[in-house]
Amino acid sequence: MLEYDKLINDLSNEFPGFEIIPKNQSTLMKIINVILKILSFGLMKTFMTTFVTTIGSKVYVPSSWEWDETSKISVLRHERVHILQKKKYTFAVSYTHLTLPTKRIV
């Protein structure tokens, strides 16, 4: 897992406070899960088990995040883009006091 460990190290150096947190250990994720279930009339059942969610420099992963190294690396590179977007747009919003649209990258 050398490439994965290097990526984790790089992310930790680039983003102070970077952390990977299992969703089932996060009160915030549990609250979001309930809200999503309510808003979707019970249809959103897999938020905690299949989705990776990034807020700030925290990456919340399903508790069963036992994916292969290549998949984890791919997902973390993708989530890095969201962390960079947050950093960029937070500055822009605080500087201009405008709400900027965000682009979802798939």
Side-chain angles (χ1 to χ4, degrees):
M1 274 193 143
L2 293 176
E3 189 177 350
Y4 175 78
D5 292 337
K6 181 182 179 329
L7 178 59
I8 295 296
N9 188 53
D10 291 347
L11 289 168
S12 296
N13 289 331
E14 186 175 6
F15 306 107
F18 171 79
E19 200 174 351
I20 297 176
I21 305 168
K23 282 187 169 184
N24 64 355
Q25 294 178 13
S26 167
T27 301
L28 175 61
M29 290 297 113
K30 291 175 185 176
I31 291 168
I32 291 172
N33 184 49
V34 170
I35 291 169
L36 287 173
K37 283 182 179 176
I38 291 168
L39 293 176
S40 69
F41 300 102
L43 295 177
M44 173 53 86
K45 298 176 183 176
T46 59
F47 174 73
M48 297 290 282
T49 58
T50 61
F51 290 92
V52 174
T53 306
T54 296
I55 299 176
S57 59
K58 310 286 188 227
V59 178
Y60 298 89
V61 298
S63 56
S64 62
W65 205 49
E66 297 174 10
W67 304 347
D68 62 271
E69 180 178 347
T70 303
S71 296
K72 285 183 177 183
I73 289 170
S74 177
V75 166
L76 288 176
R77 286 180 178 159
H78 171 86
E79 297 308 315
R80 180 183 177 273
V81 172
H82 292 303
I83 296 170
L84 287 169
Q85 287 173 330
K86 185 260 181 196
K87 191 175 182 180
K88 176 181 175 182
Y89 292 126
T90 298
F91 173 76
V93 170
S94 65
Y95 183 73
T96 63
H97 302 292
L98 296 173
T99 302
L100 301 175
T102 58
K103 179 179 177 184
R104 181 166 184 198
I105 298 174
V106 179

